[in-house]
Amino acid sequence: MTDRTFTDARIEATCFNPGQLLPPTIPEIAVAGRSNVGKSSLINALLGAKLAKVGQTPGKTRSINFYRVKTSSGEFRLVDLPGYGYAKRSRDERNDWQKLVSAYMKDREALGLVLHLADFRHGLLKNDRELQEWLRAMGQNILVVFTKADKIARGKWKSLRQEYVRDGMYSYDMPVITSSEKKEGVNALKEFVVIYLQKLNEGSLTE
């Protein structure tokens, strides 16, 4: 059986403006989500180390962080995009977010997938749906990843996920349910990422 694990991870760069972005030299998977969705906690759970700063103030992170990750099938970058949708941010700050993320996304051939994190308690909110439409317009594949599942009784997970799927969303595969607090779904997401990267390298992905 193939060992589908992340064997090593380190932060490679923190970028606050487009001129600091790393060249797209290896495959990349980005992580996007609303402020306070638990993005940093899930990244730390995936990487097995406290590399992403877990802030107490929603919307505090304004940089793009690149993590270089080794797996059983090669290296890739996990790219942490700044959180969006935090109401207390000014219009200028929201515009800066869009400029930075747009500069990263534009013609980024190395970017194979965006993990779209959404709070399992709420499903996709208006800003989430706007992000999905924008990502699709940019030609990006999306996998929805639900966070904070420990806040919902386990017996309701399957039916709630089905309800959200019926409501409509873009997701390359069935959304993954996770809890960073309980480490639920983390290994399943790792396995998905490694298999996806293998397919990406082989050119065998299907829409």
Side-chain angles (χ1 to χ4, degrees):
M1 181 178 292
T2 303
D3 179 17
R4 300 187 178 106
T5 58
F6 298 176
T7 57
D8 185 54
R10 61 182 174 86
I11 189 161
E12 191 173 13
T14 296
C15 307
F16 292 92
N17 61 67
Q20 297 175 327
L21 294 172
L22 295 180
T25 54
I26 60 174
E28 295 175 353
I29 291 181
V31 185
R34 289 173 55 86
S35 297
N36 208 31
V37 77
K39 186 159 53 69
S40 295
S41 295
L42 183 58
I43 287 173
N44 287 337
L46 283 170
L47 301 183
K50 293 183 179 179
L51 298 178
K53 293 183 180 179
V54 180
Q56 298 299 315
T57 304
K60 187 175 182 179
T61 302
R62 304 181 206 177
S63 61
I64 293 180
N65 299 306
F66 290 81
Y67 300 94
R68 197 175 186 102
V69 186
K70 292 181 180 179
T71 77
S72 51
S73 59
E75 288 188 310
F76 78 100
R77 287 190 182 116
L78 191 68
V79 183
D80 178 13
L81 304 179
Y84 60 88
Y86 188 54
K88 291 186 178 180
R89 290 300 171 203
S90 69
R91 183 185 297 271
D92 286 344
E93 287 174 319
R94 292 195 294 270
N95 288 340
D96 287 343
W97 180 95
Q98 186 165 356
K99 288 177 183 177
L100 179 58
V101 177
S102 294
Y104 166 69
M105 291 279 183
K106 186 178 180 181
D107 301 324
R108 193 79 177 184
E109 293 184 0
L111 179 57
L113 181 70
V114 177
L115 303 179
H116 179 194
L117 274 54
D119 191 318
F120 198 35
R121 296 170 295 181
H122 310 305
L124 268 60
L125 302 178
K126 181 182 177 183
N127 281 338
D128 293 309
R129 296 192 182 280
E130 290 173 351
L131 175 71
Q132 289 216 326
E133 293 295 341
W134 183 72
L135 289 173
R136 291 291 290 178
M138 298 284 281
Q140 299 299 334
N141 275 350
I142 303 165
L143 177 73
V144 173
V145 178
F146 288 121
T147 61
K148 304 188 180 184
D150 55 287
K151 308 299 183 183
I152 302 290
R154 179 183 286 274
K156 297 181 179 179
W157 287 8
K158 185 176 179 180
S159 61
L160 187 57
R161 177 170 61 180
Q162 289 174 337
E163 178 184 328
Y164 291 149
V165 170
R166 283 195 301 269
D167 286 343
M169 64 175 63
Y170 295 112
S171 190
Y172 175 82
D173 206 328
M174 181 63 70
V176 180
I177 300 171
T178 68
S179 165
S180 302
E181 182 76 20
K182 304 295 185 181
K183 300 297 186 290
E184 294 281 358
V186 173
N187 287 335
L189 184 55
K190 280 185 181 181
E191 182 173 12
F192 178 91
V193 166
V194 173
I195 293 174
Y196 188 92
L197 288 168
Q198 288 173 342
K199 291 180 178 179
L200 195 65
N201 292 333
E202 295 165 359
S204 60
L205 285 177
T206 57
E207 289 293 330

